[in-house]
Amino acid sequence: MQNTAPHKRANLRDVAAAAEVSVATVSRVLNAPGSVARDTRLRVEDAMARLHWTPSAAARAINSGRSRFVGALVPTLDHDIFARLLAELESRLAEHRLSLVVATTRRRSADEARKAQGLLDIGAEGLLVSGAVRAPEFHALIERTRLPAVATSWYDPGYALPTVGYDNRAAALMALRHLTDLGHRRIAVLHGPLATNDRTALRVTALEESDHDLVFHATGMTIADGRAATRAALAAPVRPTALLCLSDVQATGALQECLHAGIRVPEALSVIGTDDLPGSAHLYPALTTVHLPVGRMGRVAADAIAGWVEAQRRPEAQLLDIALMARDSTAAPPSEA
Amino acid sequence: MQNTAPHKRANLRDVAAAAEVSVATVSRVLNAPGSVARDTRLRVEDAMARLHWTPSAAARAINSGRSRFVGALVPTLDHDIFARLLAELESRLAEHRLSLVVATTRRRSADEARKAQGLLDIGAEGLLVSGAVRAPEFHALIERTRLPAVATSWYDPGYALPTVGYDNRAAALMALRHLTDLGHRRIAVLHGPLATNDRTALRVTALEESDHDLVFHATGMTIADGRAATRAALAAPVRPTALLCLSDVQATGALQECLHAGIRVPEALSVIGTDDLPGSAHLYPALTTVHLPVGRMGRVAADAIAGWVEAQRRPEAQLLDIALMARDSTAAPPSEA
DNA sequence: ATGAAAGCGCTAACAA
DNA sequence: TTGTTAGCGCTTTCAT
């Protein structure tokens, strides 16, 4: 029989008592171990261990005004690109001793503001968002609270939030250039929804502004959508010699459709993607695509937001390099059509 | 010029002052609105809005002893299966007004205990882990702290933690049965690392214990690994007529390899997977596989942990159904070999 | 229905 | 180097 209370979690006072020091000393071995005499410190640490004590994050937060976590607002986790982004964010933030709380917006503008508010309510010190946020309430919130927030997946030094990402226009044009350099003139473009995805919109706009005569096919973001859009593109009166897909997922669908339809790639049709997903190099044929540095983007964004919340350093917009990965799905167009 | 303090975030006291009530009343409109007179409540709510006030999560946590978030410990986010699991967890937990903090273990036993401790330190009320956790320190931690924790991706009513998942042995045997029913006798099995993935180990063991004469090929969890292992399997002195892949990723690699090598599937070789990833139905040929209900698992697990932390209801282990998705990558073996 | 006041577990200014 | 003590923003008795 012990006469201590039944089973309450120990607190700092208990540790102080057990180590026969004051609460301040215990707090010191936590926050400034150097300022505590060696054997005092040892006694305290021993007491902490005996009582299985860990400081209460809530109590520390209330005093320090810091919660040590940031929120990430992504449209979905179903797309490999966001999953990889989060993975890198999480591991890099951990190095800054920051945790990551995840929220998904399902591409709904209403969710953007609501979930951002939710993250704020639970004490997020910063926000990471993917792409431009449409909801005006979101921006009002950020402005009002002065919450550090960085946007990823695109680059725009003029945006309200610091951006860490690549040049989406350049990515689309790089793919286009590759095709035209090979001699393609009849090119169909497969792209995702413009209304809910500004990166896609940027890519499409860049292509529209080029002098080339492109046919655009809007579709969804799944492999099945890519297949369907490919069917549509190939059924056009003037059949394209190349398919420019603004997402590797759609390109994957395009390749599948060609396989099913018996169309030889790249001999009869060239296919190029955008993203360079892990699987893209292993498709049949290996997909030529524009590499978007998602992993590095995650790390850079993590450092940016960490620097901001830790040291009040508002980061500059950062442009990350993209690169053409020429593989086996593109070639010169068939000599005569 | 205002003579209020520069720009401090409002607190409950400020709201009370603005509404000309006591702090207790403000607290009440938050926690028991019914017990406050209608127009007092209106006055308070108005003050809250005017001051843009939201309660501090840390302060509430310190008083209520509740942080309202749970942690998820997953090996990686790079695999579609974990990404989908997290997506479902997050959205379902949100319905319970719980947030999700993500931590990845990179399949390292040392990380399991370290990251779990980290989640605890920041105040997680519960833990969700994927698969069996090897690290003994993890279990010691759970036991000592009595932290609600549920394991997903497998089913074992005898495990230390409540499990929410499917029968991995049955999944492997279901795939095997499909092949043998078709007449296959020479079957090669492609599987991932046994040492770090217990679900894989369960599947492999089940196959080993069957009476069938199977050849096992251990490989990694990428498409490239699947391709390499397929090459190895097909180079065997007695060439298999079917490939049983314990992951759809490996099956995808197998299909790619066959495409590259000019091996016709399913005429010359049957390929079956396990997982039923979103893309699997769109491979060429469409992959026959065993469907694992990852989405539902996420929702069920979220409900389980929520019930536990909210109502101290330790959940029962839950078995989820699996199903064979017979598509185009399997057929009877070639008549003569 | 409302208010006064005592904490929750910790940090940090100030003293010694 | 160590201790005392006043908060941090909120919840929760206990009065009224």
Side-chain angles (χ1 to χ4, degrees), chain B residues 21-22 24-25 28 36-37 40 62-63:
Chain B
V21 297
S22 73
T25 298
R28 279 189 198 100
V36 177
T40 314
I62 207 180
N63 284 291

Short mmCIF file of all heavy atoms in Angstrom, two decimals, chain B residues 21-22 24-25 28 36-37 40 62-63, chain C residues 1-10:
data_model
loop_
_atom_site.label_atom_id
_atom_site.label_comp_id
_atom_site.label_asym_id
_atom_site.label_seq_id
_atom_site.Cartn_x
_atom_site.Cartn_y
_atom_site.Cartn_z
N VAL B 21 -19.15 40.99 -18.60
CA VAL B 21 -19.55 39.84 -17.78
C VAL B 21 -18.28 39.29 -17.13
O VAL B 21 -17.19 39.81 -17.37
CB VAL B 21 -20.20 38.73 -18.64
CG1 VAL B 21 -21.48 39.22 -19.29
CG2 VAL B 21 -19.21 38.24 -19.69
N SER B 22 -18.41 38.24 -16.37
CA SER B 22 -17.21 37.65 -15.75
C SER B 22 -16.62 36.60 -16.68
O SER B 22 -17.27 36.13 -17.61
CB SER B 22 -17.58 36.99 -14.44
OG SER B 22 -18.28 35.80 -14.71
N ALA B 24 -16.08 33.63 -16.05
CA ALA B 24 -16.81 32.37 -15.92
C ALA B 24 -17.95 32.30 -16.93
O ALA B 24 -18.20 31.27 -17.55
CB ALA B 24 -17.34 32.22 -14.50
N THR B 25 -18.60 33.41 -17.10
CA THR B 25 -19.72 33.44 -18.04
C THR B 25 -19.24 33.20 -19.46
O THR B 25 -19.85 32.45 -20.23
CB THR B 25 -20.45 34.79 -17.95
OG1 THR B 25 -20.96 34.93 -16.63
CG2 THR B 25 -21.59 34.85 -18.95
N ARG B 28 -18.62 29.74 -19.88
CA ARG B 28 -19.87 28.99 -19.98
C ARG B 28 -20.46 29.03 -21.38
O ARG B 28 -20.93 28.02 -21.88
CB ARG B 28 -20.90 29.54 -19.00
CG ARG B 28 -20.69 29.00 -17.61
CD ARG B 28 -21.83 29.37 -16.69
NE ARG B 28 -21.39 29.21 -15.30
CZ ARG B 28 -21.01 30.21 -14.53
NH1 ARG B 28 -21.04 31.46 -14.98
NH2 ARG B 28 -20.61 29.99 -13.30
N VAL B 36 -26.60 29.79 -19.91
CA VAL B 36 -26.41 31.24 -19.92
C VAL B 36 -27.67 31.90 -20.49
O VAL B 36 -28.23 31.42 -21.47
CB VAL B 36 -25.19 31.62 -20.77
CG1 VAL B 36 -25.03 33.13 -20.85
CG2 VAL B 36 -23.93 30.96 -20.21
N ALA B 37 -28.08 32.96 -19.89
CA ALA B 37 -29.27 33.67 -20.38
C ALA B 37 -29.07 34.10 -21.82
O ALA B 37 -27.98 34.50 -22.22
CB ALA B 37 -29.55 34.88 -19.50
N THR B 40 -27.43 37.51 -22.52
CA THR B 40 -26.05 37.55 -22.04
C THR B 40 -25.18 36.82 -23.07
O THR B 40 -24.13 37.29 -23.48
CB THR B 40 -25.92 36.78 -20.71
OG1 THR B 40 -26.97 37.17 -19.85
CG2 THR B 40 -24.58 37.08 -20.07
N ILE B 62 -4.68 22.19 -21.07
CA ILE B 62 -4.10 22.10 -19.74
C ILE B 62 -5.17 21.90 -18.68
O ILE B 62 -4.97 21.23 -17.67
CB ILE B 62 -3.26 23.36 -19.45
CG1 ILE B 62 -2.16 23.02 -18.47
CG2 ILE B 62 -4.10 24.47 -18.93
CD1 ILE B 62 -1.31 24.21 -18.15
N ASN B 63 -6.33 22.45 -18.92
CA ASN B 63 -7.41 22.30 -17.95
C ASN B 63 -8.20 21.02 -18.13
O ASN B 63 -8.52 20.33 -17.18
CB ASN B 63 -8.36 23.48 -18.08
CG ASN B 63 -7.79 24.71 -17.45
OD1 ASN B 63 -7.66 24.79 -16.24
ND2 ASN B 63 -7.40 25.67 -18.27
P DA C 1 -30.90 29.61 -15.93
OP1 DA C 1 -31.96 29.68 -16.91
OP2 DA C 1 -29.90 28.54 -15.98
"O5'" DA C 1 -30.12 31.00 -15.89
"C5'" DA C 1 -30.76 32.21 -16.21
"C4'" DA C 1 -29.90 33.29 -15.66
"O4'" DA C 1 -29.59 32.97 -14.28
"C3'" DA C 1 -28.57 33.46 -16.38
"O3'" DA C 1 -28.29 34.85 -16.49
"C2'" DA C 1 -27.57 32.75 -15.46
"C1'" DA C 1 -28.19 32.97 -14.08
N9 DA C 1 -27.92 31.88 -13.14
C8 DA C 1 -28.13 30.55 -13.31
N7 DA C 1 -27.80 29.81 -12.28
C5 DA C 1 -27.33 30.74 -11.35
C6 DA C 1 -26.81 30.60 -10.05
N6 DA C 1 -26.70 29.41 -9.42
N1 DA C 1 -26.43 31.72 -9.40
C2 DA C 1 -26.56 32.89 -10.03
N3 DA C 1 -27.03 33.14 -11.25
C4 DA C 1 -27.39 32.01 -11.87
P DT C 2 -26.98 35.37 -17.16
OP1 DT C 2 -27.22 36.74 -17.64
OP2 DT C 2 -26.52 34.32 -18.09
"O5'" DT C 2 -26.00 35.44 -15.94
"C5'" DT C 2 -25.88 36.66 -15.23
"C4'" DT C 2 -24.93 36.48 -14.08
"O4'" DT C 2 -25.07 35.18 -13.51
"C3'" DT C 2 -23.45 36.56 -14.46
"O3'" DT C 2 -23.03 37.88 -14.17
"C2'" DT C 2 -22.78 35.52 -13.57
"C1'" DT C 2 -23.91 34.97 -12.73
N1 DT C 2 -23.86 33.53 -12.38
C2 DT C 2 -23.41 33.18 -11.13
O2 DT C 2 -23.02 33.97 -10.28
N3 DT C 2 -23.40 31.83 -10.87
C4 DT C 2 -23.81 30.82 -11.75
O4 DT C 2 -23.77 29.65 -11.41
C5 DT C 2 -24.28 31.27 -13.03
C7 DT C 2 -24.75 30.27 -14.05
C6 DT C 2 -24.27 32.59 -13.30
P DG C 3 -21.49 38.26 -14.48
OP1 DG C 3 -21.42 39.73 -14.68
OP2 DG C 3 -20.96 37.36 -15.51
"O5'" DG C 3 -20.80 37.92 -13.09
"C5'" DG C 3 -21.37 38.47 -11.90
"C4'" DG C 3 -20.52 38.08 -10.71
"O4'" DG C 3 -20.73 36.67 -10.42
"C3'" DG C 3 -19.01 38.22 -10.93
"O3'" DG C 3 -18.43 38.73 -9.74
"C2'" DG C 3 -18.54 36.81 -11.21
"C1'" DG C 3 -19.49 36.01 -10.32
N9 DG C 3 -19.71 34.64 -10.76
C8 DG C 3 -20.13 34.24 -12.00
N7 DG C 3 -20.27 32.94 -12.09
C5 DG C 3 -19.92 32.47 -10.83
C6 DG C 3 -19.88 31.14 -10.34
O6 DG C 3 -20.15 30.10 -10.94
N1 DG C 3 -19.45 31.10 -9.02
C2 DG C 3 -19.13 32.20 -8.26
N2 DG C 3 -18.73 31.97 -7.02
N3 DG C 3 -19.17 33.45 -8.72
C4 DG C 3 -19.57 33.50 -10.01
P DA C 4 -16.97 39.32 -9.75
OP1 DA C 4 -17.09 40.76 -9.51
OP2 DA C 4 -16.27 38.80 -10.94
"O5'" DA C 4 -16.32 38.61 -8.47
"C5'" DA C 4 -17.15 38.04 -7.47
"C4'" DA C 4 -16.27 37.24 -6.51
"O4'" DA C 4 -16.40 35.83 -6.83
"C3'" DA C 4 -14.77 37.54 -6.56
"O3'" DA C 4 -14.23 37.31 -5.28
"C2'" DA C 4 -14.27 36.55 -7.61
"C1'" DA C 4 -15.16 35.33 -7.33
N9 DA C 4 -15.49 34.57 -8.53
C8 DA C 4 -15.72 35.06 -9.80
N7 DA C 4 -16.03 34.14 -10.68
C5 DA C 4 -15.99 32.96 -9.94
C6 DA C 4 -16.23 31.63 -10.30
N6 DA C 4 -16.56 31.25 -11.53
N1 DA C 4 -16.10 30.70 -9.33
C2 DA C 4 -15.77 31.08 -8.09
N3 DA C 4 -15.54 32.31 -7.64
C4 DA C 4 -15.66 33.21 -8.62
P DA C 5 -12.63 37.44 -5.06
OP1 DA C 5 -12.50 37.78 -3.62
OP2 DA C 5 -12.01 38.28 -6.10
"O5'" DA C 5 -12.14 35.93 -5.25
"C5'" DA C 5 -12.85 34.88 -4.59
"C4'" DA C 5 -12.12 33.57 -4.82
"O4'" DA C 5 -12.55 33.01 -6.09
"C3'" DA C 5 -10.60 33.69 -4.93
"O3'" DA C 5 -10.07 32.49 -4.45
"C2'" DA C 5 -10.37 33.83 -6.42
"C1'" DA C 5 -11.38 32.79 -6.89
N9 DA C 5 -11.79 32.90 -8.28
C8 DA C 5 -11.79 33.99 -9.10
N7 DA C 5 -12.22 33.76 -10.31
C5 DA C 5 -12.53 32.40 -10.29
C6 DA C 5 -13.03 31.53 -11.26
N6 DA C 5 -13.32 31.92 -12.49
N1 DA C 5 -13.21 30.24 -10.91
C2 DA C 5 -12.91 29.86 -9.67
N3 DA C 5 -12.43 30.59 -8.65
C4 DA C 5 -12.26 31.86 -9.04
P DA C 6 -8.58 32.40 -3.90
OP1 DA C 6 -8.62 32.84 -2.49
OP2 DA C 6 -7.68 33.06 -4.85
"O5'" DA C 6 -8.32 30.83 -3.91
"C5'" DA C 6 -9.42 29.92 -3.73
"C4'" DA C 6 -9.21 28.70 -4.60
"O4'" DA C 6 -9.66 28.98 -5.95
"C3'" DA C 6 -7.74 28.28 -4.73
"O3'" DA C 6 -7.70 26.87 -4.77
"C2'" DA C 6 -7.33 28.90 -6.07
"C1'" DA C 6 -8.61 28.68 -6.86
N9 DA C 6 -8.77 29.51 -8.04
C8 DA C 6 -8.43 30.84 -8.20
N7 DA C 6 -8.71 31.31 -9.39
C5 DA C 6 -9.26 30.24 -10.05
C6 DA C 6 -9.77 30.08 -11.36
N6 DA C 6 -9.81 31.07 -12.25
N1 DA C 6 -10.24 28.87 -11.71
C2 DA C 6 -10.21 27.88 -10.81
N3 DA C 6 -9.76 27.91 -9.55
C4 DA C 6 -9.30 29.12 -9.24
P DG C 7 -6.32 26.09 -4.61
OP1 DG C 7 -6.51 24.66 -4.94
OP2 DG C 7 -5.76 26.47 -3.31
"O5'" DG C 7 -5.48 26.84 -5.75
"C5'" DG C 7 -4.64 26.09 -6.60
"C4'" DG C 7 -5.45 25.19 -7.52
"O4'" DG C 7 -6.44 25.99 -8.22
"C3'" DG C 7 -4.57 24.56 -8.57
"O3'" DG C 7 -4.92 23.21 -8.78
"C2'" DG C 7 -4.79 25.37 -9.82
"C1'" DG C 7 -6.16 25.98 -9.60
N9 DG C 7 -6.15 27.35 -10.10
C8 DG C 7 -5.69 28.48 -9.46
N7 DG C 7 -5.79 29.56 -10.20
C5 DG C 7 -6.34 29.11 -11.39
C6 DG C 7 -6.68 29.81 -12.57
O6 DG C 7 -6.55 31.03 -12.79
N1 DG C 7 -7.21 28.98 -13.56
C2 DG C 7 -7.40 27.62 -13.40
N2 DG C 7 -7.91 26.98 -14.44
N3 DG C 7 -7.10 26.94 -12.31
C4 DG C 7 -6.58 27.75 -11.34
P DC C 8 -3.84 22.13 -9.02
OP1 DC C 8 -4.32 20.88 -8.39
OP2 DC C 8 -2.55 22.72 -8.63
"O5'" DC C 8 -3.80 21.95 -10.59
"C5'" DC C 8 -4.83 21.28 -11.31
"C4'" DC C 8 -4.53 21.43 -12.78
"O4'" DC C 8 -4.94 22.74 -13.21
"C3'" DC C 8 -3.04 21.33 -13.08
"O3'" DC C 8 -2.77 20.01 -13.56
"C2'" DC C 8 -2.81 22.37 -14.18
"C1'" DC C 8 -4.08 23.21 -14.22
N1 DC C 8 -3.90 24.67 -13.96
C2 DC C 8 -4.43 25.61 -14.85
O2 DC C 8 -5.02 25.20 -15.86
N3 DC C 8 -4.26 26.93 -14.59
C4 DC C 8 -3.62 27.32 -13.49
N4 DC C 8 -3.50 28.63 -13.27
C5 DC C 8 -3.08 26.38 -12.56
C6 DC C 8 -3.24 25.07 -12.83
P DG C 9 -1.53 19.21 -13.00
OP1 DG C 9 -1.75 17.81 -13.34
OP2 DG C 9 -1.27 19.64 -11.61
"O5'" DG C 9 -0.34 19.77 -13.89
"C5'" DG C 9 -0.37 19.59 -15.30
"C4'" DG C 9 0.76 20.39 -15.90
"O4'" DG C 9 0.47 21.79 -15.72
"C3'" DG C 9 2.12 20.15 -15.23
"O3'" DG C 9 3.09 19.98 -16.25
"C2'" DG C 9 2.36 21.40 -14.42
"C1'" DG C 9 1.62 22.45 -15.23
N9 DG C 9 1.16 23.59 -14.45
C8 DG C 9 0.78 23.60 -13.14
N7 DG C 9 0.40 24.79 -12.72
C5 DG C 9 0.54 25.61 -13.83
C6 DG C 9 0.29 26.99 -14.00
O6 DG C 9 -0.13 27.80 -13.16
N1 DG C 9 0.56 27.42 -15.29
C2 DG C 9 1.03 26.60 -16.30
N2 DG C 9 1.23 27.18 -17.47
N3 DG C 9 1.27 25.31 -16.16
C4 DG C 9 1.00 24.88 -14.92
P DC C 10 4.64 19.81 -15.94
OP1 DC C 10 5.19 18.89 -16.94
OP2 DC C 10 4.79 19.56 -14.50
"O5'" DC C 10 5.21 21.26 -16.24
"C5'" DC C 10 5.33 21.68 -17.57
"C4'" DC C 10 5.33 23.17 -17.68
"O4'" DC C 10 4.47 23.72 -16.67
"C3'" DC C 10 6.66 23.85 -17.45
"O3'" DC C 10 7.32 24.01 -18.71
"C2'" DC C 10 6.28 25.21 -16.86
"C1'" DC C 10 4.80 25.08 -16.53
N1 DC C 10 4.46 25.51 -15.17
C2 DC C 10 4.15 26.85 -14.94
O2 DC C 10 4.20 27.65 -15.90
N3 DC C 10 3.81 27.26 -13.69
C4 DC C 10 3.76 26.38 -12.70
N4 DC C 10 3.41 26.81 -11.49
C5 DC C 10 4.07 25.00 -12.90
C6 DC C 10 4.42 24.61 -14.13
#
